[in-house]
Amino acid sequence: MKKHFKYLATAGLIAALLLAAGCGDDATDKKKVDKPDIKTEQKVDKKAQAPVVKPPEGKYYRYPSYLDDVTKTPEMTPEMIKYVDDFASTVKLAPSEKGKFLNDSRINRPNEEYHRIWLHAYGSNHNRNNKFKNSKGKEVYQQEIYHIRMSVKADTKKVTYVEYSVYEQNEAIPDGKSRTIMKKVFK
């Protein structure tokens, strides 16, 4: 009896395999079913597909390391670069800046009329180790920071405003002072 059961179980297994493979009696009557396209069923991550444009470095400016896509900030046009070069070539930057301003421009907002370009760098007299008390008795450190601020018309990329300024704080000017080297306004 065990022998007959063994043969019957084997025959049943073979029949099940043949039916699963499509080799049964009604296999010729079955229509082929299209397999779903796997690519269309997967969720598409739009962020992963967006092209990332690494920020370029100019002669006198660089982008911060956290910015991985320069298309989020205003485009540095030759006109803007000329303003940066003009100011940067007249000042002495701290060795830590490696001769470049940090382009920390504001991220573009939808439908804005003007883009803002902000660059800054430490000057050669910037010293976090040189502390002193200002006229209010507060302990501060010596500072020298250069700023470049520009406004650019969003649709034409034409520069409409330029300001160069220096922020200083040292023992000779204990309260710190911001002085404007040059300001250009276009109307």
Side-chain angles (χ1 to χ4, degrees):
M1 183 86 166
K2 284 185 180 180
K3 235 181 193 181
H4 294 298
F5 183 71
K6 198 180 209 182
Y7 291 126
L8 187 60
T10 306
L13 180 63
I14 292 173
L17 287 174
L18 288 174
L19 284 174
C23 298
D25 293 338
D26 58 349
T28 55
D29 298 342
K30 290 183 181 177
K31 293 182 180 177
K32 287 189 177 181
V33 177
D34 292 336
K35 291 183 180 178
D37 189 7
I38 296 171
K39 292 179 185 175
T40 58
E41 288 184 1
Q42 292 178 346
K43 284 190 175 182
V44 178
D45 186 9
K46 291 181 182 179
K47 289 181 182 178
Q49 289 185 348
V52 174
V53 182
K54 289 292 181 186
E57 289 212 5
K59 183 177 180 184
Y60 290 112
Y61 71 90
R62 62 187 171 83
Y63 284 90
S65 58
Y66 65 81
L67 183 66
D68 62 349
D69 190 351
V70 76
T71 59
K72 296 175 183 176
T73 62
E75 178 189 344
M76 289 296 288
T77 64
E79 183 184 17
M80 288 184 250
I81 292 170
K82 183 180 180 336
Y83 284 115
V84 174
D85 291 354
D86 287 349
F87 184 54
S89 62
T90 63
V91 296
K92 188 174 180 186
L93 301 181
S96 63
E97 300 295 335
K98 298 178 181 158
K100 296 187 179 193
F101 278 80
L102 183 68
N103 185 345
D104 206 6
S105 299
R106 198 179 83 176
I107 301 298
N108 292 339
R109 303 286 185 251
N111 304 321
E112 66 184 1
E113 191 175 343
Y114 292 93
H115 295 316
R116 308 286 186 259
I117 287 79
W118 296 336
L119 297 100
H120 65 275
Y122 292 137
S124 59
N125 293 326
H126 193 82
N127 188 346
R128 290 187 183 270
N129 298 322
N130 187 18
K131 284 192 171 184
F132 58 93
K133 287 191 177 181
N134 64 14
S135 63
K136 297 175 184 172
K138 185 179 176 186
E139 192 172 66
V140 294
Y141 63 87
Q142 183 173 314
Q143 294 186 56
E144 183 179 43
I145 305 171
Y146 300 118
H147 296 278
I148 302 173
R149 293 179 184 90
M150 289 185 262
S151 290
V152 181
K153 194 102 163 111
D155 56 352
T156 62
K157 296 181 185 171
K158 178 84 175 134
V159 176
T160 58
Y161 176 84
V162 178
E163 180 185 327
Y164 304 135
S165 60
V166 179
Y167 175 81
E168 294 178 310
Q169 184 169 275
N170 57 45
E171 293 179 51
I173 315 170
D175 290 325
K177 191 168 187 171
S178 180
R179 62 185 167 98
T180 302
I181 295 190
M182 178 171 46
K183 194 184 271 191
K184 291 188 177 184
V185 180
F186 302 91
K187 300 254 177 182

